[in-house]
Amino acid sequence: MCLAVPGRVLDIGEKDGTRMATVDFGGVVKEVCLEYLPDLQVGEYAIVHVGFALQRLDEESARQTLELFAQLGMLQEEFGDPWERAATEAGVADWPFADDIAEQPQHAGDARDAGDAVQEAQQQ
Amino acid sequence: MKYIEEFQDPELARRLLDDIHATVTRPWALMEVCGGQTHTIIRHGIDQLLPDQVELIHGPGCPVCVTPLEVIDKALEIASRPDVIFCSFGDMLRVPGSGRDLFQVRSEGGDVRVVYSPLDALRIARQNPAREVVFFGIGFETTAPPNAMTVHQAKKLGIPNFSLLVSHVRVPPAIEAIMTSPSCRVQAFLAAGHVCSVMGMAEYPELAARHRVPIVVTGFEPLDILEGVRRAVRQLERGEHTVDNAYARAVRPEGNPAALAMLEDVFEVTDRAWRGIGVIPDSGWRLSARYRDYDAEHRFSVTDIATQEPAECRSGEVLQGLIKPHECEAFGTTCTPRTPLGATMVSSEGACAAYYLYRRLDLAPAARTAPLEASPVV
């Protein structure tokens, strides 16, 4: 949870009067609040923690960190299925709620326009 | 230097290490505050690459680990209520309360949901107006601003069925408590980089000067840690005690002004209990008066729950750097990630978990003879 992950802004929109973006974390795409970095632009990188962009980061640093996190399996730790992990830790073979786990992350490789995600989010 | 080839830039790592080895003339004890830094250190064997005179002491910077048992018990009580949807970050699921954890509450029928962001919990509240939605707001200065924004949004949008179970803690009072402890051995701090991304560095010069202790703001990648150690050791050898920023790519001296303003609006400083340590004055936040309606403790009348912590778990000493995880009798025997006694073993950022996961059992006489599970997962 304490881990903050660098991500690249794909698209920016507004939702309930709040500045939101879709952000790509080395292939995993999440919705991120930009209220604390209101002048962040599409294409820029930021350190993101629990869905909030907290500080700008230069592209080279961000890429290096993402690469390292991917190698170390830390992206899986941050974005993987927490129920599955908890079940494994608890030694429970078949977690009975496997179907209704937290929303799974999207993948940038799904070839979906990132703008769609923001639009969808706005419509919710 | 058996691990150095695994560094992202082995040549730079070697140069930093050479510089540290060439600089050190006396023994020094440095505390890394952040649990993420602890994991990097153990995972990459950084403590073993450093000169013998440089000791790294693990600090209290794991938000899951320092959340007091009584707050976990309050969470379990609220999460068990049929009218409640209890939302949490995933790493709180298996933190043991007095008798069980959130994972078990869910298996017993409680509506516990894992969210990525506190804003997800607010969305769940809007989608379920007939239910009470409670978000478990733990964490340091990095996590507090997102939670503050979420409460602010709940008020702005008039969402009445959302509340926050607050257990936020602050790093500088913890540093103060460690430095004023009679058993303190810490001579320099590697400050938690992402906390400083939000808070900036304004709180540290006074601490550094008063305790004559160097404070080096440090990231948590392997090379960041080496650079933080290098700068701290240089100061120690020169008899200096200033605040230095070794993580400038992510930390501005002023921090994040928008986040600081929101923190000041939504929260106010209060005394907080730390698991295994006890109450540290001014070391936490609670909701300020104008947001008091969003306080889950009052809404669900759990303020009276005050659990005593078990004596056999020595995580408090681990968190203060007084003992290393393997020096606890329970480590690797009665306490494992599968059957944790305390949060330092179950949290993915906990020091005990780091030692267990990366098999630093060569250092643990008690644990060496204990049966090990095939693949401990943290």
PDB file of all heavy atoms in Angstrom, chain B residues 27-49:
ATOM      1  N   PRO B  27      32.151   2.822  13.577  1.00  0.00           N
ATOM      2  CA  PRO B  27      30.814   2.225  13.477  1.00  0.00           C
ATOM      3  C   PRO B  27      29.711   3.286  13.498  1.00  0.00           C
ATOM      4  O   PRO B  27      29.793   4.246  14.267  1.00  0.00           O
ATOM      5  CB  PRO B  27      30.712   1.352  14.753  1.00  0.00           C
ATOM      6  CG  PRO B  27      32.049   1.335  15.367  1.00  0.00           C
ATOM      7  CD  PRO B  27      32.802   2.526  14.869  1.00  0.00           C
ATOM      8  N   TRP B  28      28.703   3.090  12.656  1.00  0.00           N
ATOM      9  CA  TRP B  28      27.545   3.995  12.604  1.00  0.00           C
ATOM     10  C   TRP B  28      26.264   3.176  12.493  1.00  0.00           C
ATOM     11  O   TRP B  28      26.253   2.140  11.831  1.00  0.00           O
ATOM     12  CB  TRP B  28      27.631   4.937  11.393  1.00  0.00           C
ATOM     13  CG  TRP B  28      28.841   5.811  11.358  1.00  0.00           C
ATOM     14  CD1 TRP B  28      29.874   5.740  10.472  1.00  0.00           C
ATOM     15  CD2 TRP B  28      29.149   6.899  12.245  1.00  0.00           C
ATOM     16  NE1 TRP B  28      30.811   6.706  10.736  1.00  0.00           N
ATOM     17  CE2 TRP B  28      30.394   7.435  11.822  1.00  0.00           C
ATOM     18  CE3 TRP B  28      28.501   7.472  13.348  1.00  0.00           C
ATOM     19  CZ2 TRP B  28      30.992   8.512  12.467  1.00  0.00           C
ATOM     20  CZ3 TRP B  28      29.102   8.546  13.991  1.00  0.00           C
ATOM     21  CH2 TRP B  28      30.328   9.047  13.552  1.00  0.00           C
ATOM     22  N   ALA B  29      25.204   3.677  13.124  1.00  0.00           N
ATOM     23  CA  ALA B  29      23.892   3.028  13.039  1.00  0.00           C
ATOM     24  C   ALA B  29      22.908   3.971  12.356  1.00  0.00           C
ATOM     25  O   ALA B  29      22.655   5.075  12.844  1.00  0.00           O
ATOM     26  CB  ALA B  29      23.394   2.666  14.437  1.00  0.00           C
ATOM     27  N   LEU B  30      22.386   3.531  11.214  1.00  0.00           N
ATOM     28  CA  LEU B  30      21.455   4.346  10.425  1.00  0.00           C
ATOM     29  C   LEU B  30      20.087   3.676  10.449  1.00  0.00           C
ATOM     30  O   LEU B  30      19.987   2.451  10.341  1.00  0.00           O
ATOM     31  CB  LEU B  30      21.908   4.417   8.961  1.00  0.00           C
ATOM     32  CG  LEU B  30      23.060   5.324   8.538  1.00  0.00           C
ATOM     33  CD1 LEU B  30      24.333   5.017   9.292  1.00  0.00           C
ATOM     34  CD2 LEU B  30      23.301   5.187   7.040  1.00  0.00           C
ATOM     35  N   MET B  31      19.035   4.479  10.585  1.00  0.00           N
ATOM     36  CA  MET B  31      17.692   3.906  10.521  1.00  0.00           C
ATOM     37  C   MET B  31      17.021   4.284   9.207  1.00  0.00           C
ATOM     38  O   MET B  31      16.918   5.472   8.877  1.00  0.00           O
ATOM     39  CB  MET B  31      16.820   4.381  11.688  1.00  0.00           C
ATOM     40  CG  MET B  31      15.364   3.889  11.567  1.00  0.00           C
ATOM     41  SD  MET B  31      14.334   4.281  12.998  1.00  0.00           S
ATOM     42  CE  MET B  31      14.691   2.888  14.067  1.00  0.00           C
ATOM     43  N   GLU B  32      16.563   3.257   8.454  1.00  0.00           N
ATOM     44  CA  GLU B  32      15.710   3.553   7.307  1.00  0.00           C
ATOM     45  C   GLU B  32      14.273   3.551   7.824  1.00  0.00           C
ATOM     46  O   GLU B  32      13.839   2.620   8.487  1.00  0.00           O
ATOM     47  CB  GLU B  32      15.951   2.577   6.150  1.00  0.00           C
ATOM     48  CG  GLU B  32      15.176   1.279   6.163  1.00  0.00           C
ATOM     49  CD  GLU B  32      15.855   0.218   7.026  1.00  0.00           C
ATOM     50  OE1 GLU B  32      16.894   0.519   7.632  1.00  0.00           O
ATOM     51  OE2 GLU B  32      15.334  -0.910   7.109  1.00  0.00           O
ATOM     52  N   VAL B  33      13.555   4.631   7.561  1.00  0.00           N
ATOM     53  CA  VAL B  33      12.234   4.816   8.165  1.00  0.00           C
ATOM     54  C   VAL B  33      11.165   4.009   7.435  1.00  0.00           C
ATOM     55  O   VAL B  33      10.251   3.469   8.048  1.00  0.00           O
ATOM     56  CB  VAL B  33      11.866   6.319   8.182  1.00  0.00           C
ATOM     57  CG1 VAL B  33      10.423   6.523   8.609  1.00  0.00           C
ATOM     58  CG2 VAL B  33      12.797   7.068   9.130  1.00  0.00           C
ATOM     59  N   CYS B  34      11.311   3.889   6.115  1.00  0.00           N
ATOM     60  CA  CYS B  34      10.211   3.373   5.287  1.00  0.00           C
ATOM     61  C   CYS B  34      10.298   1.846   5.138  1.00  0.00           C
ATOM     62  O   CYS B  34      11.372   1.296   4.896  1.00  0.00           O
ATOM     63  CB  CYS B  34      10.313   4.042   3.919  1.00  0.00           C
ATOM     64  SG  CYS B  34       9.307   3.327   2.636  1.00  0.00           S
ATOM     65  N   GLY B  35       9.158   1.180   5.289  1.00  0.00           N
ATOM     66  CA  GLY B  35       9.110  -0.274   5.141  1.00  0.00           C
ATOM     67  C   GLY B  35       9.489  -0.725   3.734  1.00  0.00           C
ATOM     68  O   GLY B  35      10.060  -1.800   3.538  1.00  0.00           O
ATOM     69  N   GLY B  36       9.185   0.091   2.736  1.00  0.00           N
ATOM     70  CA  GLY B  36       9.591  -0.224   1.368  1.00  0.00           C
ATOM     71  C   GLY B  36      11.103  -0.252   1.246  1.00  0.00           C
ATOM     72  O   GLY B  36      11.683  -1.088   0.546  1.00  0.00           O
ATOM     73  N   GLN B  37      11.752   0.658   1.967  1.00  0.00           N
ATOM     74  CA  GLN B  37      13.219   0.677   1.968  1.00  0.00           C
ATOM     75  C   GLN B  37      13.766  -0.588   2.640  1.00  0.00           C
ATOM     76  O   GLN B  37      14.737  -1.180   2.177  1.00  0.00           O
ATOM     77  CB  GLN B  37      13.727   1.933   2.693  1.00  0.00           C
ATOM     78  CG  GLN B  37      13.411   3.217   1.944  1.00  0.00           C
ATOM     79  CD  GLN B  37      13.687   4.466   2.782  1.00  0.00           C
ATOM     80  OE1 GLN B  37      13.652   4.434   4.003  1.00  0.00           O
ATOM     81  NE2 GLN B  37      13.926   5.575   2.096  1.00  0.00           N
ATOM     82  N   THR B  38      13.111  -1.019   3.734  1.00  0.00           N
ATOM     83  CA  THR B  38      13.552  -2.239   4.420  1.00  0.00           C
ATOM     84  C   THR B  38      13.530  -3.422   3.457  1.00  0.00           C
ATOM     85  O   THR B  38      14.465  -4.221   3.395  1.00  0.00           O
ATOM     86  CB  THR B  38      12.644  -2.541   5.633  1.00  0.00           C
ATOM     87  OG1 THR B  38      12.688  -1.434   6.529  1.00  0.00           O
ATOM     88  CG2 THR B  38      13.088  -3.804   6.358  1.00  0.00           C
ATOM     89  N   HIS B  39      12.434  -3.510   2.683  1.00  0.00           N
ATOM     90  CA  HIS B  39      12.332  -4.635   1.749  1.00  0.00           C
ATOM     91  C   HIS B  39      13.420  -4.584   0.685  1.00  0.00           C
ATOM     92  O   HIS B  39      13.996  -5.602   0.314  1.00  0.00           O
ATOM     93  CB  HIS B  39      10.941  -4.692   1.128  1.00  0.00           C
ATOM     94  CG  HIS B  39      10.034  -5.566   1.917  1.00  0.00           C
ATOM     95  ND1 HIS B  39       9.618  -6.804   1.488  1.00  0.00           N
ATOM     96  CD2 HIS B  39       9.507  -5.412   3.147  1.00  0.00           C
ATOM     97  CE1 HIS B  39       8.863  -7.360   2.415  1.00  0.00           C
ATOM     98  NE2 HIS B  39       8.775  -6.530   3.433  1.00  0.00           N
ATOM     99  N   THR B  40      13.698  -3.393   0.164  1.00  0.00           N
ATOM    100  CA  THR B  40      14.768  -3.264  -0.821  1.00  0.00           C
ATOM    101  C   THR B  40      16.098  -3.717  -0.217  1.00  0.00           C
ATOM    102  O   THR B  40      16.876  -4.440  -0.850  1.00  0.00           O
ATOM    103  CB  THR B  40      14.894  -1.798  -1.277  1.00  0.00           C
ATOM    104  OG1 THR B  40      13.657  -1.395  -1.847  1.00  0.00           O
ATOM    105  CG2 THR B  40      15.992  -1.641  -2.310  1.00  0.00           C
ATOM    106  N   ILE B  41      16.343  -3.300   1.015  1.00  0.00           N
ATOM    107  CA  ILE B  41      17.622  -3.606   1.678  1.00  0.00           C
ATOM    108  C   ILE B  41      17.791  -5.120   1.844  1.00  0.00           C
ATOM    109  O   ILE B  41      18.837  -5.684   1.508  1.00  0.00           O
ATOM    110  CB  ILE B  41      17.687  -2.877   3.043  1.00  0.00           C
ATOM    111  CG1 ILE B  41      17.891  -1.380   2.813  1.00  0.00           C
ATOM    112  CG2 ILE B  41      18.803  -3.448   3.917  1.00  0.00           C
ATOM    113  CD1 ILE B  41      17.543  -0.521   4.012  1.00  0.00           C
ATOM    114  N   ILE B  42      16.749  -5.778   2.321  1.00  0.00           N
ATOM    115  CA  ILE B  42      16.875  -7.218   2.585  1.00  0.00           C
ATOM    116  C   ILE B  42      16.858  -8.010   1.277  1.00  0.00           C
ATOM    117  O   ILE B  42      17.619  -8.947   1.071  1.00  0.00           O
ATOM    118  CB  ILE B  42      15.749  -7.694   3.531  1.00  0.00           C
ATOM    119  CG1 ILE B  42      15.741  -6.866   4.820  1.00  0.00           C
ATOM    120  CG2 ILE B  42      15.913  -9.178   3.868  1.00  0.00           C
ATOM    121  CD1 ILE B  42      17.038  -6.884   5.580  1.00  0.00           C
ATOM    122  N   ARG B  43      15.992  -7.569   0.361  1.00  0.00           N
ATOM    123  CA  ARG B  43      15.864  -8.265  -0.923  1.00  0.00           C
ATOM    124  C   ARG B  43      17.172  -8.269  -1.698  1.00  0.00           C
ATOM    125  O   ARG B  43      17.545  -9.252  -2.328  1.00  0.00           O
ATOM    126  CB  ARG B  43      14.774  -7.546  -1.727  1.00  0.00           C
ATOM    127  CG  ARG B  43      14.326  -8.211  -2.977  1.00  0.00           C
ATOM    128  CD  ARG B  43      13.174  -7.382  -3.541  1.00  0.00           C
ATOM    129  NE  ARG B  43      12.072  -8.203  -3.957  1.00  0.00           N
ATOM    130  CZ  ARG B  43      10.807  -7.793  -4.014  1.00  0.00           C
ATOM    131  NH1 ARG B  43      10.483  -6.582  -3.644  1.00  0.00           N
ATOM    132  NH2 ARG B  43       9.865  -8.590  -4.437  1.00  0.00           N
ATOM    133  N   HIS B  44      17.875  -7.156  -1.658  1.00  0.00           N
ATOM    134  CA  HIS B  44      19.118  -7.034  -2.421  1.00  0.00           C
ATOM    135  C   HIS B  44      20.359  -7.273  -1.573  1.00  0.00           C
ATOM    136  O   HIS B  44      21.475  -7.097  -2.045  1.00  0.00           O
ATOM    137  CB  HIS B  44      19.200  -5.648  -3.069  1.00  0.00           C
ATOM    138  CG  HIS B  44      18.228  -5.482  -4.188  1.00  0.00           C
ATOM    139  ND1 HIS B  44      18.529  -5.747  -5.495  1.00  0.00           N
ATOM    140  CD2 HIS B  44      16.942  -5.117  -4.179  1.00  0.00           C
ATOM    141  CE1 HIS B  44      17.474  -5.544  -6.251  1.00  0.00           C
ATOM    142  NE2 HIS B  44      16.493  -5.157  -5.461  1.00  0.00           N
ATOM    143  N   GLY B  45      20.151  -7.638  -0.304  1.00  0.00           N
ATOM    144  CA  GLY B  45      21.308  -7.898   0.546  1.00  0.00           C
ATOM    145  C   GLY B  45      22.177  -6.666   0.743  1.00  0.00           C
ATOM    146  O   GLY B  45      23.393  -6.776   0.926  1.00  0.00           O
ATOM    147  N   ILE B  46      21.574  -5.479   0.695  1.00  0.00           N
ATOM    148  CA  ILE B  46      22.366  -4.238   0.800  1.00  0.00           C
ATOM    149  C   ILE B  46      23.089  -4.170   2.138  1.00  0.00           C
ATOM    150  O   ILE B  46      24.245  -3.742   2.211  1.00  0.00           O
ATOM    151  CB  ILE B  46      21.456  -3.002   0.587  1.00  0.00           C
ATOM    152  CG1 ILE B  46      21.049  -2.928  -0.887  1.00  0.00           C
ATOM    153  CG2 ILE B  46      22.150  -1.712   1.009  1.00  0.00           C
ATOM    154  CD1 ILE B  46      20.034  -1.861  -1.218  1.00  0.00           C
ATOM    155  N   ASP B  47      22.422  -4.632   3.199  1.00  0.00           N
ATOM    156  CA  ASP B  47      23.077  -4.587   4.521  1.00  0.00           C
ATOM    157  C   ASP B  47      24.344  -5.442   4.534  1.00  0.00           C
ATOM    158  O   ASP B  47      25.287  -5.154   5.270  1.00  0.00           O
ATOM    159  CB  ASP B  47      22.093  -5.010   5.631  1.00  0.00           C
ATOM    160  CG  ASP B  47      21.389  -6.326   5.351  1.00  0.00           C
ATOM    161  OD1 ASP B  47      21.313  -6.733   4.174  1.00  0.00           O
ATOM    162  OD2 ASP B  47      20.916  -6.961   6.307  1.00  0.00           O
ATOM    163  N   GLN B  48      24.366  -6.495   3.717  1.00  0.00           N
ATOM    164  CA  GLN B  48      25.547  -7.356   3.682  1.00  0.00           C
ATOM    165  C   GLN B  48      26.653  -6.785   2.796  1.00  0.00           C
ATOM    166  O   GLN B  48      27.810  -7.162   2.918  1.00  0.00           O
ATOM    167  CB  GLN B  48      25.161  -8.746   3.176  1.00  0.00           C
ATOM    168  CG  GLN B  48      24.207  -9.449   4.131  1.00  0.00           C
ATOM    169  CD  GLN B  48      23.788 -10.812   3.650  1.00  0.00           C
ATOM    170  OE1 GLN B  48      23.628 -11.023   2.452  1.00  0.00           O
ATOM    171  NE2 GLN B  48      23.593 -11.731   4.577  1.00  0.00           N
ATOM    172  N   LEU B  49      26.263  -5.909   1.865  1.00  0.00           N
ATOM    173  CA  LEU B  49      27.265  -5.306   0.980  1.00  0.00           C
ATOM    174  C   LEU B  49      27.981  -4.141   1.649  1.00  0.00           C
ATOM    175  O   LEU B  49      29.078  -3.770   1.256  1.00  0.00           O
ATOM    176  CB  LEU B  49      26.584  -4.800  -0.302  1.00  0.00           C
ATOM    177  CG  LEU B  49      25.945  -5.860  -1.204  1.00  0.00           C
ATOM    178  CD1 LEU B  49      25.133  -5.195  -2.313  1.00  0.00           C
ATOM    179  CD2 LEU B  49      27.007  -6.763  -1.801  1.00  0.00           C
TER     180      LEU B  49
END
